[in-house]
């Protein structure tokens, strides 16, 4: 095998779509979760570390939802669908994420009583789910997938190719 065609262990790791999705999803969702603190009951009055812990756990859950939605979209053919996105997998990804989010929010604010919305939270008609968690799933995934696509595309270039591109 030509040395330039080999990939290092680091490249294989950084090229893994699910790890990239989880990483970028966590980072973007953490910022969103912190910004929406005022829209959840009693979160503004929570001690700082407690709010960070709650938002971290929520962001990890958001990352897991992203991976599940990604795998669901991959059932259309390949785990590498994000490199050349088509409407089918993209819509499946979004629909799966929104559906999981709506169900989890409904359960958490309803039968499970895990959290409740503050009066400022806009809600969807009929089901009462918060609008911000749904918008979160409509606004962040395009950015998450763009970051993931850039990272995984660069990671799969042969050793030295990325460096050679920067030296030109």
């Amino acid at each position: 095998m030509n040395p330039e065609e080999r990939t290092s262990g680091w490249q294989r790791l950084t090229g893994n779509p699910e790890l990239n999705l989880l990483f970028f999803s966590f980072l973007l969702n953490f910022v969103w979760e912190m910004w929406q603190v005022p829209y959840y009951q009693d979160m503004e009055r929570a001690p700082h570390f407690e709010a960070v812990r709650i938002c971290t756990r929520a962001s990890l859950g958001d990352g897991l939802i992203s991976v599940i939605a990604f795998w669901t979209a991959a059932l259309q053919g390949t785990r590498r669908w994000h490199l050349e996105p088509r409407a089918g997998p993209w819509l499946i990804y979004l629909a799966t994420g929104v559906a999981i989010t709506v169900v989890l929010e409904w359960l958490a604010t309803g039968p499970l009583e895990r959290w409740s919305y503050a009066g400022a939270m806009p809600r969807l008609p009929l089901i009462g789910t918060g609008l911000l968690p749904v918008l979160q799933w409509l606004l962040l995934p395009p950015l998450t997938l763009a970051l993931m696509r850039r990272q995984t595309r660069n990671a799969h270039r042969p050793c030295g190719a990325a460096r050679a591109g920067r030296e030109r």
Side-chain angles (χ1 to χ4, degrees):
M1 180 188 300
N2 181 339
E4 289 194 3
E5 293 176 357
R6 282 184 285 174
T7 56
S8 69
W10 179 250
Q11 284 173 310
R12 283 189 298 277
L13 181 66
T14 60
N16 181 289
E18 292 85 357
L19 287 178
N20 278 284
L21 181 61
L22 189 61
F23 177 73
F24 291 120
S25 181
F26 172 80
L27 291 179
L28 294 173
N29 280 288
F30 183 77
V31 172
W32 184 282
E33 294 290 346
M34 292 299 289
W35 281 351
Q36 73 177 359
V37 160
Y39 297 94
Y40 285 86
Q41 194 71 39
D42 300 326
M43 279 291 289
E44 284 184 307
R45 291 185 293 282
H48 178 71
F49 181 75
E50 182 65 15
V52 169
R53 188 183 66 74
I54 290 168
C55 290
T56 299
R57 189 171 57 204
S59 300
L60 288 170
D62 294 329
L64 182 59
I65 292 169
S66 294
V67 171
I68 292 168
F70 178 80
W71 284 337
T72 304
L75 293 175
Q76 285 240 309
T78 174
R79 286 174 53 233
R80 303 253 177 238
W81 67 265
H82 65 286
L83 293 174
E84 294 180 25
R86 296 180 328 273
W90 176 249
L91 291 173
I92 291 169
Y93 176 71
L94 276 180
T96 302
V98 169
I100 291 171
T101 298
V102 168
V103 168
L104 290 178
E105 286 287 323
W106 177 80
L107 286 170
T109 58
L112 299 178
E113 296 181 355
R114 302 273 299 163
W115 59 78
S116 57
Y117 300 132
M121 172 69 84
R123 298 184 192 201
L124 295 175
L126 302 176
I127 56 176
T129 299
L131 179 61
L132 293 180
V134 174
L135 284 176
Q136 181 177 359
W137 243 96
L138 294 174
L139 299 175
L140 295 186
L143 184 54
T144 303
L145 288 176
L147 292 168
M148 181 178 99
R149 183 172 37 255
R150 183 174 188 265
Q151 176 64 30
T152 56
R153 187 173 282 144
N154 287 340
H156 280 70
R157 288 160 75 182
C159 290
R163 221 176 307 131
R166 286 192 300 262
E167 292 171 0
R168 290 183 197 166

